[in-house]
Amino acid sequence: MIKAYPLQWPQGWPRTEYVYRQQGRFGKKEQAAGRSWKSHKDITVNDAVRRVLEQLHMMGVGDDVVISTNLELRLDGLPRSGQAAPKDPGAAVYWVQSDGSTKVIALDLYNKVEHNLAAIAATLDAMRTIERHGGSPILERVFTGFTALPPPTSTANRKWFEVLGVTPNATTDEIKKARNALARKAHPDMGGNSEDMAAINRAFDEGMRGAA
């Protein structure tokens, strides 16, 4: 179960150290009353959440979306504006693709939750631009890198193809690509752990035997 609160950071995704976090510049310009110039207004948590959901909906994603942060939730389960900024400003957005696979983008580069969410929305918009310009195969490969790893305790009872995020009749090439994408996140050298890596390798071996 992916939790919206507190922050559930995805396995294998590196964290940004505090000293390297930046001030984001996400917001909008508003016309000042009676003035010819526009002022810059910082983005709110609600604005950032709306941007993320709009981008996902334009990608055909349904309601299976979890926005996970260290902000307390509204009644609808989304982060609430108007509260003290948490010490950890990271944000992770999980969603389910039409093929049933769970994807995730996580970011903690900026020192405010709303800025990290806005950056995730901007990333999703850039992906949609790739698709609009005929880059669907590229986009598919990019999304493979955003596949959410299952929790370590859930791999024991999962089928090999569920662990790898492929179909039961996947080809050897598809199995290899899925394994490599997951290994880049799960390997201990990349912030993962040996248990996840072992589960991925077992699933890979079983899948390759069946596909041979």
Side-chain angles (χ1 to χ4, degrees), residues 5 21 69-71 83-90 111-114:
Y5 174 83
R21 288 188 179 137
T69 72
N70 282 318
L71 292 173
Q83 56 186 295
K87 183 178 180 181
D88 182 351
N111 55 23
K112 289 185 178 181
V113 174
E114 52 266 42

Side-chain angles (χ1 to χ4, degrees), residues 128-139:
R128 291 182 52 249
T129 300
I130 292 174
E131 187 175 35
R132 287 196 299 270
H133 288 283
S136 293
I138 297 174
L139 187 63

Side-chain angles (χ1 to χ4, degrees), residues 17-170:
E17 295 183 28
Y18 173 79
V19 294
Y20 295 116
R21 288 188 179 137
Q22 305 174 15
Q23 176 64 39
R25 296 186 177 182
F26 299 93
K28 57 184 178 181
K29 291 184 177 181
E30 291 188 343
Q31 189 77 43
R35 306 284 184 177
S36 59
W37 46 267
K38 293 182 179 181
S39 61
H40 184 272
K41 185 178 181 180
D42 196 15
I43 192 171
T44 66
V45 171
N46 287 342
D47 288 336
V49 167
R50 177 181 51 77
R51 289 186 186 184
V52 170
L53 294 177
E54 285 179 351
Q55 291 299 325
L56 288 173
H57 290 163
M58 284 189 283
M59 290 167 52
V61 176
D63 295 329
D64 288 329
V65 177
V66 176
I67 297 179
S68 185
T69 72
N70 282 318
L71 292 173
E72 295 182 2
L73 306 178
R74 307 182 321 209
L75 293 179
D76 60 2
L78 295 170
R80 174 171 56 82
S81 281
Q83 56 186 295
K87 183 178 180 181
D88 182 351
V93 178
Y94 298 81
W95 71 93
V96 178
Q97 290 282 99
S98 58
D99 62 2
S101 61
T102 300
K103 305 296 184 183
V104 60
I105 298 180
L107 193 66
D108 63 351
L109 176 62
Y110 301 104
N111 55 23
K112 289 185 178 181
V113 174
E114 52 266 42
H115 290 172
N116 285 312
L117 286 173
I120 290 174
T123 301
L124 292 169
D125 181 50
M127 291 179 177
R128 291 182 52 249
T129 300
I130 292 174
E131 187 175 35
R132 287 196 299 270
H133 288 283
S136 293
I138 297 174
L139 187 63
E140 184 176 344
R141 288 194 290 271
V142 170
F143 272 137
T144 299
F146 289 142
T147 300
L149 291 173
T153 55
S154 68
T155 57
N157 298 321
R158 290 165 64 89
K159 303 293 186 181
W160 68 267
F161 51 87
E162 294 175 330
V163 174
L164 296 179
V166 298
T167 61
N169 59 348

